[in-house]
Amino acid sequence: MISNGRSGVQTDCSSLRPFALAAVLLLSSSGSALALSELKPVQAPDTTIEQTAPPLDEPTIGQDGGLPAPNPIIRATPQAEPGGIGGAPGAEADKPAGDVTVEILTDPAMLPESAQRMRQLILEAAATGDPEKLRPLLGTGPTATQLAFSQIDADPVDYLRSISGDAEGQEILAILIDLLNTGFVRIDAGKVEETYIWPYFAALPLESLSPPQRVELLRLVTAGDVEDMRAYGGYNFYRIGISAEGEWRFFMAGD
């Protein structure tokens, strides 16, 4: 969720009250009513204060290029917003101008029911140790789960086995389970493209992670991987996207 509030102009409305009162008294004391076209606007003193909001930080792009992710991913500072999914009631809503925020969600119960079900089905299929159990969840045709930035000609389950570190494809199943047990974020809220993404690191600049968050990241990848990501410009390990309607949209690595 992006916090707006970049108004660069502030006006003190209390300074207009004496001028408005004077205009009312003038009208009431006149023998005949004046047409609106005959009234001259009262000039209020100039009380505007111009402020220049700092520009938004542009996301860092990897030096080796690469195609964009299926849905644009916003890199932002993790701050919860009140009223949103998982937002704490009464949380501070005012953010500095130019500060982009995103909400980190940790409770799967905050997901829409259809998205909750798809997450649970993926976890159950992965826990069997048989990649074939994922087939009914991967979809076909236009709704098929995207497994790579480029089109793949292979059978989707065979492709998952091929990118796993072991021949049986069980490493990729373990990655699925690990990812779906991390915190997540929501992008394009309220739109057709609304998607829940695991892990939340995919939406944050790595330098903004707190020590506990870095420990969470290191449960997924090695310290050497993290250094490579810093050089690359952001998190580029596997991520999962599930729509609010429960469609498994993507499972891929990259940025």
Side-chain angles (χ1 to χ4, degrees):
M1 322 177 165
I2 298 178
S3 177
N4 295 324
R6 301 187 180 87
S7 176
V9 178
Q10 299 177 354
T11 303
D12 186 359
C13 295
S14 62
S15 63
L16 301 181
R17 293 175 184 168
F19 297 96
L21 179 60
V24 172
L25 293 174
L26 179 61
L27 287 173
S28 63
S29 63
S30 174
S32 59
L34 295 177
L36 291 177
S37 61
E38 297 175 353
L39 294 177
K40 295 182 179 180
V42 178
Q43 298 295 326
D46 185 9
T47 60
T48 60
I49 302 174
E50 294 187 357
Q51 298 177 346
T52 302
L56 293 175
D57 292 335
E58 293 295 331
T60 305
I61 305 299
Q63 298 299 320
D64 56 353
L67 298 175
N71 290 284
I73 291 180
I74 302 170
R75 302 195 184 282
T77 301
Q79 292 179 343
E81 296 180 4
I85 294 181
E92 182 60 46
D94 296 330
K95 302 290 188 282
D99 185 27
V100 182
T101 61
V102 67
E103 186 178 6
I104 298 173
L105 310 176
T106 57
D107 186 356
M110 297 173 181
L111 292 164
E113 185 176 350
S114 296
Q116 283 187 52
R117 176 164 173 76
M118 175 56 78
R119 173 186 175 273
Q120 188 61 34
L121 288 173
I122 296 172
L123 286 171
E124 291 174 359
T128 67
D130 182 4
E132 189 63 36
K133 300 297 184 182
L134 295 173
R135 188 179 296 279
L137 309 178
L138 291 170
T140 58
T143 61
T145 304
Q146 187 174 356
L147 301 176
F149 289 115
S150 58
Q151 183 177 353
I152 61 172
D153 297 325
D155 175 86
V157 176
D158 289 342
Y159 176 77
L160 289 176
R161 287 194 183 96
S162 73
I163 61 176
S164 184
D166 63 308
E168 293 78 16
Q170 292 169 349
E171 181 191 57
I172 209 71
L173 299 179
I175 290 172
L176 278 169
I177 293 173
D178 286 344
L179 292 177
L180 288 174
N181 281 299
T182 64
F184 54 100
V185 295
R186 177 177 63 167
I187 65 169
D188 293 326
K191 301 179 182 178
V192 176
E193 300 82 7
E194 181 174 334
T195 304
Y196 294 85
I197 297 178
W198 291 259
Y200 67 86
F201 311 114
L204 301 175
L206 296 182
E207 60 271 15
S208 75
L209 298 182
S210 67
Q213 289 171 337
R214 287 196 292 271
V215 171
E216 288 185 75
L217 177 57
L218 289 169
R219 293 177 64 183
L220 296 175
V221 298
T222 68
D225 292 331
V226 173
E227 290 306 311
D228 290 341
M229 289 180 189
R230 291 181 186 278
Y232 181 76
Y235 175 89
N236 59 6
F237 192 55
Y238 288 96
R239 72 195 70 193
I240 299 170
I242 300 176
S243 75
E245 293 74 27
E247 176 188 328
W248 186 3
R249 286 188 165 160
F250 57 86
F251 170 53
M252 64 176 70
D255 185 33

